[in-house]
Amino acid sequence: MNCVLEGNAVKAFGKAIHSLSRIGDELCLDPMSKGLALRSVNSAHSAYACFLFSPMFFQKYNLGPEQGSETVQCKLLMKSILPLFRCLATVERCQIQINTPNDRVKIQFFCRHGITKTHDLCFEESEALQAAFASHLCPNVLKAPARVLGEMVMHFPVSQEEITLSITPLRVSLRNYFEGRNDHMKIMYTEMSLHPDEFDYFQIGVESNITFCLKELRGLLSFAESHCLPVSVHFGAAGKPVCFSVEDMILEATVVLSTLIDSESPSQPAETLTVAPRTPTRCADVVPESPGEAATVPAGMELVASSQGSPIEDPALLLLLHHLSEPHYQERANSTPASSICSLLFRAKSPESGEGLPVLACCSDEEEAEEEDVMMMRSPTL
Amino acid sequence: MPLSTQSQGDAEQYVLVASLDNARNLSNILKAITFKDHAIFSATPNGLKVTVEDSKCLQANAFIQSEIFQEYTIKEDSVGFQVNLTVLLDCLNIFGGSTAPGVSTALRMCYKGYGYPLTLFLEEGGVVTVCKINTEEPEEPVDFEFCSTNVTNKVILQSESLKEAFSELDMTSEVLQITMSPSQPYFRLSTFGNSGNAHYDYPKDSDMMELFKCTKTQTNRYKMSLLKPSTKALALSCKVSVRTDSRGFLSLQYLVRNDDGQICFVEYYCCPDEEVAED
């Protein structure tokens, strides 16, 4: 792949990388015919972000001879690439080339005064991970200018890990969330509410309180504010992932975060964490989405146990899940809900060559998924 | 000014007296070469030279001409001593190093000669502090034998363009490679770090390039750990000259303007890390 960005686009690109660095330690560059996707996943697989830049974003965008067959996805260390995009004041143009034969990404900055900076970074070929999220099935949808959301979260200290978003037909509120602490006297509780009229779009299907990690969201909010883009929020009941997205003509950005499960409703099973590397399977062959079901696992897919006891493949992830559901999380004096992190579903991309539009979200109805081009980032029609 | 009310009798004993209305004109430039504790002071009627060395491979010199001082008296052709540079800087900043305009620390630096401490009289806002710093036998600084007749390649760049490159240098690289050539890439800084290679190219016709005189293509590598301290001098400077000689030795000369706009120089000499075959 070979692409060229000019001045302001380089800054936006850098800002996207900065936002992604809030999520994970690795950055995945995924050149596709519909654009260049930058993705990051956190180590707990509870946060996923994707910035997709359409070919129009670039001055020049060429996929190499790999187009048609397996396109190369490059995994880079965030700490290798983030510093390159820090000082962009003098950058006039940036060229990014992915050379498969020698496993290198070449990033060249053409700066003022004729100065050129060339960086040759090593990458690892990897399978792209994508979160499967059916945003069109979410009962609750909000859309507001980035500034509105930014002003709401501004009241929480930078150290605040998690916040709870509550929605009722009469209001939307945000409050800080603390897990079972005994030092109530030392905590400052903050809550703010907005009337539904404050939102460009307000749809409530089910009253809910969702708790998610604020830190991982801040990157996207700051990106959205700098581009003056409205932010859409798709969510449902506690335990289901929440999706924040922005889009304009030339780029789309999404952050999908898992939310804490309400431990007081035992009927709601924990969702299976499926880490799905890209395999040449069609979407229909993929593990069914309904949680708790015994899964038939196609070759090449990993399945990690939920607290419901499905078969384990990755001991490290299992340890993480067990740690999260340790007793001390459940035995708390106060009444705030949730005892374990609900993780996201990840799904293989169907790499049909020439089609160029991999399925980003699979719904529970498999036939629908094959026919519909479901885009996770599509905003609801107003 | 209280410092000038010292008895005249005292003044006769000193072989060196140097005074500054603003001690920052000395402390700022000394900070640019503080990568080791000990500094060799060498004073001549021309001015003050302060030298810091590292493992005989790196040498930094700061030059403060006699004209910079409000008072500069030297009774011998050459006066030399060695002091702890960190202690000296602490003393020069003893009033807290305030940067408020119009507020500055005045300095009178006095030395009686061999065996005597270096005496500093510092005054700010009517408060006087006297510091006496023990001196040591000055070591002979290494002579890098870098002479202009042996220089093969020389460029002068505006510091602004190099500052960004030096702040971004991949510190996981053990070496900094400098390529100078009459043809492409003209002037190139390269690093070879854990995540990959980086090259910073400055073309000869860049408007940041004030002088470009390269006679032959040379590529030399220098230990990153040795050159990293020079970033402080770069940060203070407005222009830098980069020269290499036929042996691959590197000379970096920085033009520094002090608070009062006067010019001082800092230079760094560095041995090459290994011989790289010249193209």
Side-chain angles (χ1 to χ4, degrees), chain A residues 22 30 41 64 90 95 108 141 159 195 215 252 316-317 328:
Chain A
R22 306 280 200 118
D30 189 3
V41 174
T90 58
Q95 179 168 30
Q108 254 182 321
V141 182
S159 57
H195 192 272
K215 282 188 174 179
E252 295 168 357
L317 282 165
H328 75 270

Side-chain angles (χ1 to χ4, degrees), chain A residues 80 113-114 116-118 120 122, chain B residues 164 195-197 199 201 203 206-207:
Chain A
S80 304
H113 312 297
T116 310
K117 301 180 192 176
T118 309
D120 259 333
C122 309
Chain B
E164 210 178 273
S195 35
N197 306 334
H199 305 288
D201 293 343
S206 164
D207 47 358

Side-chain angles (χ1 to χ4, degrees), chain A residues 12-13 16 19-20 32 34-39 48-58 130 135 220 223-224 227 229-230 232 243-255 356-358 360 373-379:
Chain A
F13 199 78
S19 303
L20 288 163
M32 304 181 285
K34 67 170 177 163
L36 178 65
L38 302 179
R39 297 182 222 275
Y48 161 91
C50 173
F51 279 73
L52 176 66
F53 296 96
S54 89
M56 290 190 294
F57 178 79
F58 303 91
Q130 280 182 248
S135 60
L220 179 75
F223 182 89
H227 284 76
L229 291 171
S232 301
C243 173
F244 295 86
S245 56
V246 298
E247 69 176 342
D248 72 4
M249 295 283 292
I250 51 178
L251 63 87
E252 295 168 357
T254 314
V255 170
L357 289 173
L360 290 177
D373 228 10
V374 179
M375 296 287 287
M376 174 161 45
M377 286 81 75
R378 186 178 296 157
S379 308

Side-chain angles (χ1 to χ4, degrees), chain A residues 2-6 55 57-62 94-96:
Chain A
N2 181 354
C3 67
V4 176
L5 301 101
E6 58 73 44
F57 178 79
F58 303 91
Q59 212 170 51
K60 190 170 91 171
Y61 183 78
N62 294 325
C94 170
Q95 179 168 30
I96 303 176

Side-chain angles (χ1 to χ4, degrees), chain A residues 12-13 32 42 59 76-77 86 124 165 178 194 232 270 285 328 336:
Chain A
F13 199 78
M32 304 181 285
N42 72 353
Q59 212 170 51
L76 297 160
L77 285 178
R86 203 164 273 152
E124 242 179 67
L165 169 71
F178 293 92
L194 286 182
S232 301
D285 298 338
H328 75 270
T336 45

